[in-house]
């Protein structure tokens, strides 16, 4: 119960942090779009594009919290927890598309650099940096970005956005003092690389969850030794470890025990293993206890092919 309460507390904190961050980022994104068009700066517009993706990512993350807190039912026995992962994937793909668009636009500007209103560009990019620092600070205080894939995705956006603002400031100063028109598309290319990088990592992590990959925060050898340390366990096979959503890891396995063991004794072994697994990052364990007369193979990882079904 304490764990549930702690999880719920984090959940509420994360929602507040996301809500506040969403309002600040969206408001400033509008300012940056207007500023980018007014000053004719691609660096500002690409930063605004990045802020748009921040805004979308925060909105999706907020929706994900709303959906993922829905209770399990007969239709979805794990509830809607996976919505968060789908949201993170949309978020990552959006970033990749925005990055590619900025690259194409920047190439055209390298060939023919347009005139840029540098003073306006400098003022807006300094404000952008301050806004990003504020939002990053709010998120760090919330702390959820360490554990939650969606929060982490949103936090990564804001951090790389901060660097985008630094790029726009540098470009504005270079155009002002040296007349280097190419500094504007160069800054936007740097932003695009950052956008592409965070998009790639968020998408990769999300696909890994959807492919039922072993969670990155779980050491599989440690899990195996935790189960095998129990004196009553003679063998272990059919082990599966996956994430339902970020921070919620599940496991299923078969453990072999002595033939003369009572149901009550095997229950207490299962309870002990379940308890021990909580300490190595497994939130939900399904453990099948059986004797060595079982009809399954003895491979640790099972693909289900060797299981026969007879009437």
């Amino acid at each position: 119960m304490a764990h549930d309460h702690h999880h719920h507390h984090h959940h509420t904190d994360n929602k507040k942090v996301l809500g506040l961050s969403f309002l600040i980022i969206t408001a400033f994104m509008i300012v940056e779009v207007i500023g980018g068009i007014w000053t004719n700066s691609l660096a500002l517009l690409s930063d605004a594009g990045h802020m748009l993706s921040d805004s979308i990512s925060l909105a999706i993350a907020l929706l994900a919290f709303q959906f993922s807190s829905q209770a399990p039912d007969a239709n979805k026995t794990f509830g809607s927890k996976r919505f968060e992962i789908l949201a993170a994937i949309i978020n990552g793909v959006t970033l990749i598309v925005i990055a590619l668009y900025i690259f194409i636009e920047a190439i055209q500007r390298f060939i023919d650099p347009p005139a840029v209103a540098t003073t306006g560009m400098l003022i807006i990019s300094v404000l952008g940096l301050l806004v990003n620092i504020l939002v990053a600070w709010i998120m760090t205080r919330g702390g959820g970005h360490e554990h939650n894939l969606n929060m982490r995705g949103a936090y990564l956006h804001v951090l790389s956005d901060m660097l985008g603002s630094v790029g726009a400031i540098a470009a504005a100063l270079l155009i002002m003092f040296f007349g280097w028109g190419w500094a504007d598309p160069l800054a936007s290319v740097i932003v695009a690389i950052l956008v592409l990088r965070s998009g790639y990592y968020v998408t990769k992590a999300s696909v890994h969850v959807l492919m039922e990959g072993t969670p990155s925060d779980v050491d599989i050898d440690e899990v195996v030794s935790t189960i095998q340390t129990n004196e009553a366990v003679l063998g272990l096979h059919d082990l599966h470890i996956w994430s339902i959503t970020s921070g919620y890891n599940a496991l299923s396995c078969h453990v072999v025990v002595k033939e003369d063991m009572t149901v009550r004794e095997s229950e207490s072994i299962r309870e002990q293993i379940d308890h021990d697994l909580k300490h190595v990052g497994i939130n939900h364990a399904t453990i099948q206890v059986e004797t060595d007369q079982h009809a399954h193979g003895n491979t640790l990882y099972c693909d289900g092919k060797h299981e026969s079904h007879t009437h």
Side-chain angles (χ1 to χ4, degrees):
M1 280 303 290
H3 175 76
D4 282 353
H5 175 73
H6 179 71
H7 185 75
H8 178 73
H9 178 69
H10 252 312
H11 197 89
T12 313
D13 278 357
N14 285 347
K15 273 179 85 168
K16 283 181 185 167
V17 166
L18 284 173
L20 184 58
S21 304
F22 172 73
L23 288 173
I24 297 168
I25 290 277
T26 307
F28 195 77
M29 175 203 69
I30 296 162
V31 171
E32 237 179 3
V33 169
I34 295 164
I37 295 164
W38 169 55
T39 61
N40 202 14
S41 165
L42 181 62
L44 272 188
L45 281 173
S46 63
D47 205 32
H50 196 192
M51 275 201 156
L52 169 66
S53 72
D54 285 355
S55 184
I56 293 168
S57 110
L58 291 162
I60 290 172
L62 272 168
L63 281 172
F65 274 123
Q66 201 59 43
F67 279 102
S68 65
S69 59
Q70 286 178 356
D73 57 25
N75 193 26
K76 292 187 184 71
T77 55
F78 270 114
S80 299
K81 287 186 169 67
R82 273 282 165 94
F83 183 87
E84 182 200 310
I85 305 302
L86 291 174
I89 252 188
I90 294 165
N91 188 4
V93 172
T94 306
L95 278 176
I96 292 165
V97 170
I98 287 172
L100 295 174
Y101 170 76
I102 296 166
F103 280 128
I104 293 161
E105 188 64 29
I107 290 162
Q108 292 170 338
R109 290 205 172 204
F110 273 121
I111 297 161
D112 183 22
V116 176
T118 48
T119 311
M121 178 183 170
L122 183 64
I123 293 165
I124 293 163
S125 46
V126 168
L127 284 173
L129 179 62
L130 295 173
V131 166
N132 282 310
I133 290 169
L134 173 67
V135 173
W137 177 75
I138 291 168
M139 285 188 158
T140 313
R141 278 187 73 224
H145 67 282
E146 294 159 13
H147 314 288
N148 181 290
L149 190 60
N150 240 323
M151 284 293 286
R152 196 161 144 260
Y155 184 67
L156 280 174
H157 280 219
V158 174
L159 278 190
S160 49
D161 214 5
M162 202 187 287
L163 294 167
S165 297
V166 172
I169 292 167
L173 291 171
L174 288 171
I175 298 167
M176 275 170 118
F177 291 108
F178 302 103
W180 293 349
W182 50 261
D184 181 61
L186 178 66
S188 58
V189 165
I190 293 165
V191 174
I193 292 166
L194 294 169
V195 175
L196 194 63
R197 186 175 174 274
S198 54
Y200 167 74
Y201 282 116
V202 171
T203 307
K204 186 184 170 199
S206 307
V207 168
H208 185 71
V209 173
L210 289 179
M211 293 296 293
E212 311 270 86
T214 304
S216 57
D217 59 340
V218 169
D219 181 339
I220 204 154
D221 295 330
E222 193 179 14
V223 169
V224 170
S225 71
T226 299
I227 297 168
Q228 289 177 336
T229 303
N230 192 302
E231 291 169 7
V233 174
L234 305 176
L236 167 68
H237 56 272
D238 286 14
L239 176 68
H240 301 281
I241 305 172
W242 71 101
S243 289
I244 307 300
T245 186
S246 55
Y248 191 82
N249 303 327
L251 169 148
S252 72
C253 70
H254 294 202
V255 295
V256 180
V257 296
K258 284 189 298 185
E259 205 169 321
D260 58 356
M261 189 169 281
T262 66
V263 174
R264 181 68 202 104
E265 283 169 338
S266 67
E267 254 178 25
S268 71
I269 288 159
R270 205 182 67 238
E271 283 164 10
Q272 184 58 52
I273 295 170
D274 193 34
H275 176 266
D276 294 343
L277 286 171
K278 294 271 194 290
H279 297 290
V280 290
I282 303 297
N283 308 83
H284 180 91
T286 306
I287 301 155
Q288 182 170 318
V289 181
E290 59 197 22
T291 69
D292 56 5
Q293 299 301 309
H294 64 87
H296 299 288
N298 282 314
T299 51
L300 184 57
Y301 309 113
C302 147
D303 61 5
K305 286 177 186 170
H306 65 254
E307 292 181 21
S308 59
H309 179 73
T310 53
H311 286 284

